[in-house]
Amino acid sequence: MTHGHFALGDQVVILKGVAGGELWGDAMTVVTPSWHTPTDEDGWRLRDPNGGQQTFITAHPRYLVHLSRRCPDCLIYLRALEDYLIPKFADAGTVIDCGWYSTTALNQLVHIADARGGR
């Protein structure tokens, strides 16, 4: 997904794993553009409506899927992830966190494929 695919106020989810035969993740609201330091690209500042330790984080657009609207690009991406991941964990019967993300000291969410030393 590109930066322009999302807009202020969009409801998004950051997919983190599989639970009960479905994908699960953290639902958040897009609040403002923000530089994503781990990738050196435009990202989005997100707000977790549940608050917690990281009420606000910055994420790259490719980590996000729309919740607030059913756009074709997000539906295609979501379906591809479901087709790939759900069969792998169908027998687990528990919540599986795939461990794709960590959060930097600057509250920037980073995918393991984008993590670089010192950032």
Side-chain angles (χ1 to χ4, degrees):
M1 300 297 164
T2 65
H3 188 265
H5 183 79
F6 298 97
L8 302 178
D10 282 353
Q11 300 296 309
V12 297
V13 64
I14 298 168
L15 297 170
K16 292 194 167 187
V18 179
E22 295 182 349
L23 297 178
W24 70 272
D26 294 334
M28 300 197 179
T29 303
V30 175
V31 293
T32 192
S34 183
W35 189 251
H36 189 249
T37 304
T39 59
D40 289 330
E41 294 177 25
D42 288 330
W44 287 103
R45 193 75 169 158
L46 308 174
R47 180 183 173 276
D48 181 343
N50 299 314
Q53 186 177 8
Q54 286 139 347
T55 301
F56 292 94
I57 62 167
T58 296
H60 194 283
R62 69 176 159 256
Y63 306 164
L64 312 177
V65 175
H66 274 115
L67 279 177
S68 56
R69 60 186 176 102
R70 297 222 175 262
C71 67
D73 291 335
C74 286
L75 289 173
I76 290 167
Y77 176 62
L78 186 61
R79 179 58 186 228
L81 282 174
E82 288 173 339
D83 290 348
Y84 179 73
L85 290 172
I86 291 174
K88 289 183 173 208
F89 299 107
D91 297 331
T94 60
V95 175
I96 305 294
D97 183 337
C98 292
W100 296 318
Y101 300 99
S102 61
T103 305
T104 70
L106 298 175
N107 281 338
Q108 303 234 343
L109 192 70
V110 61
H111 190 278
I112 56 173
D114 292 331
R116 298 185 299 209
R119 288 203 154 183

